[in-house]
Amino acid sequence: MKKNKAFIGLLALMLVLTLLAGCGGNNRNNAAQNNAAGNAGTANSGTEQTAGRDISGEITVITQRTDIVDTVFKDYAAEFNKEYPNVKVNFQALSDYEGQITVRMNSDDYGDVLLLPTSIPLADTPEFFEPLGTLEEMSKQYIGLEERTVDGKVYGIPIAVNFSGILYNKKVFNDAGVTTTPRTPDEFLAALHKIKEKGDAIPLYSNYADSWPLTQWEAVLTTVAGDVDYVNVIQPNTDDNFVPGQPHYELYKVMYDTAKQGLIEDDPTTTNWEASKADMANGKIGAMVLGSWAIGQVQGLAENPDDIAYMPFPTNAKEIIMPLADDYTLGISKHSKHKEAARAWVDWFINKSGYPTEQAGGISPVVGAPLPESLKQFEGTDVKFELQTPAKPGQEGLVDKIDKDAEIGLWQPEFKKRIMEAAIGNLNESYDDIMKDLNDAWVKSRAKFVK
């Protein structure tokens, strides 16, 4: 159904969260208030939470935040120990989180608390992680739990609820004569060309060498589609997933064109993620496709934080939708020897650390939590913030099943790297060759699951 009136971004987001809370009524709002007051989380048995001083043990928390593991996270541990003095928290940070943690998960030694890797099929989650509670009960406290729920049991709580788009340096764009935010792919490419002509900054930084940043493009599929039904409802029920005119084709055509037209770094094989944040903060990079979690990281390095802004991914859709989706979800290893201490950390981290908004740059998953400052720039615009429509009953996890069976890797970097390699001439295949290959694999695997 088409809507003629534009939504105010912030109000639309508030409406989404209000509707989410509506299912639980006053009980849900009370749960949020209790969490804010310090009654974080509930035990699986429904009994009262054990007093902090009675919980003990040594736990290892594995994170992807190499930039703050020795600073902010140590401060978190100190605050946590004020409530849980008998729990010792150790941290390990992985620079290639997905790649390194999945290797470790071949053994029983992968820490006590960790982020659930997206490469693990949803159905296999119970083999590696401890259930945190039922979806029915935990939905009174948190949003975004569905992504890691199996058979009604929750295995991960979002460390933040993010929105997805393009992080950019407003000064770089303005200095190149781009004073209006590009809306369509053609306008975006034209803006990048102006930055290139100016010669002071890399127009679009791919972060190819670190691989995982390339997966951030998949998060804007809803924006390209202009339809919250597309990802979970339309996509698994069509054979035309990577054909011209469809969202996946149009999304990655932007990636291909930027590389083909020399609008990325000269040698993408030598990129560096940590350095790229400083380079964007200092005006050496124009834009990067990243989730909202990156806003605070780059602003914190900028002499003028207001130079760092955020825009929707370019789209030809009639409506501009910035999808709300989970950041990584936080869970507990099934092999942890100190699950009570691990659960105490999970509950404290989500509810009391301030990480979701202060460090992740997103929205807290706690129902009723205040909205972050980064959303204020969208007040009065026609940008909508909306959650994707859940899958149809009986089709939960279907996209994931097809993707894994087809070995496409929607949330993995491999085919994105292939697109870039072809664009810069390192592979002898066209963009349409790659898209046909992906679509053929999709069609073949979908036939196994959809009769």
Side-chain angles (χ1 to χ4, degrees), residues 385-444:
F385 291 85
E386 296 186 3
L387 290 165
Q388 296 167 347
T389 306
K392 293 179 179 180
Q395 290 194 338
E396 297 89 347
L398 180 56
V399 171
D400 186 63
K401 290 177 182 177
I402 299 171
D403 179 41
K404 296 293 191 300
D405 181 79
E407 298 183 349
I408 291 171
L410 293 175
W411 289 96
Q412 302 304 313
E414 282 72 25
F415 83 74
K416 290 85 171 171
K417 298 183 84 167
R418 181 180 170 191
I419 288 170
M420 294 192 66
E421 291 282 351
I424 63 178
N426 289 350
L427 292 177
N428 186 25
E429 57 182 345
S430 69
Y431 180 71
D432 282 342
D433 289 338
I434 297 171
M435 289 294 105
K436 184 181 185 304
D437 192 27
L438 295 176
N439 204 70
D440 287 348
W442 176 268
V443 171
K444 182 179 180 181

Side-chain angles (χ1 to χ4, degrees), residues 136-417:
E136 181 180 5
E137 285 301 313
M138 291 189 67
S139 291
K140 298 173 184 177
Q141 300 176 50
Y142 305 107
I143 64 172
L145 299 174
E146 294 80 4
E147 193 166 306
R148 282 296 169 178
T149 293
V150 181
D151 296 331
K153 294 180 180 179
V154 175
Y155 290 86
I157 302 173
I159 57 175
V161 176
N162 288 328
F163 42 100
S164 299
I166 297 177
L167 186 69
Y168 72 107
N169 189 305
K170 190 161 45 178
K171 186 176 186 302
V172 170
F173 274 67
N174 288 340
D175 288 349
V178 183
T179 56
T180 302
T181 304
R183 188 196 189 282
T184 67
D186 286 345
E187 291 174 356
F188 183 61
L189 289 170
L192 297 183
H193 274 290
K194 288 184 177 180
I195 294 171
K196 182 178 181 180
E197 290 166 8
K198 186 77 166 50
D200 295 334
I202 298 169
L204 180 71
Y205 199 79
S206 72
N207 263 306
Y208 173 100
D210 282 274
S211 297
W212 66 263
L214 297 176
T215 67
Q216 300 290 292
W217 289 68
E218 186 68 20
V220 299
L221 186 62
T222 294
T223 304
V224 177
D227 187 346
V228 293
D229 290 346
Y230 186 78
V231 172
N232 297 316
V233 179
I234 298 174
Q235 180 180 207
N237 291 293
T238 182
D239 280 341
D240 297 331
N241 199 358
F242 296 89
V243 303
Q246 294 304 308
H248 263 126
Y249 184 98
E250 302 305 321
L251 164 59
Y252 289 106
K253 186 63 163 59
V254 176
M255 175 184 281
Y256 180 84
D257 286 344
T258 54
K260 182 76 171 178
Q261 297 174 27
L263 300 173
I264 62 170
E265 56 274 30
D266 290 336
D267 184 2
T269 63
T270 61
T271 60
N272 182 286
W273 162 243
E274 291 298 338
S276 75
K277 291 187 289 184
D279 285 345
M280 169 164 276
N282 296 328
K284 297 179 181 179
I285 292 173
M288 293 191 283
V289 179
L290 295 168
S292 59
W293 54 266
I295 298 173
Q297 292 189 39
V298 177
Q299 284 181 333
L301 299 172
E303 183 176 342
N304 180 12
D306 290 340
D307 286 344
I308 307 305
Y310 206 72
M311 72 171 83
F313 192 86
T315 179
N316 287 315
K318 293 181 179 179
E319 295 183 324
I320 303 176
I321 301 172
M322 294 183 78
L324 296 174
D326 292 355
D327 196 323
Y328 271 116
T329 58
L330 194 65
I332 298 171
S333 167
K334 190 172 184 178
H335 303 287
S336 171
K337 296 178 180 178
H338 300 286
K339 289 175 182 164
E340 194 174 29
R343 182 57 187 265
W345 172 263
V346 169
D347 290 335
W348 182 90
F349 183 81
I350 298 295
N351 288 275
K352 298 185 179 181
S353 70
Y355 180 90
T357 56
E358 295 170 10
Q359 297 296 333
I363 301 161
S364 171
V366 178
V367 173
L371 297 173
E373 288 290 320
S374 55
L375 286 176
K376 291 185 177 180
Q377 72 178 91
F378 298 106
E379 286 184 278
T381 73
D382 61 349
V383 176
K384 296 182 180 182
F385 291 85
E386 296 186 3
L387 290 165
Q388 296 167 347
T389 306
K392 293 179 179 180
Q395 290 194 338
E396 297 89 347
L398 180 56
V399 171
D400 186 63
K401 290 177 182 177
I402 299 171
D403 179 41
K404 296 293 191 300
D405 181 79
E407 298 183 349
I408 291 171
L410 293 175
W411 289 96
Q412 302 304 313
E414 282 72 25
F415 83 74
K416 290 85 171 171
K417 298 183 84 167

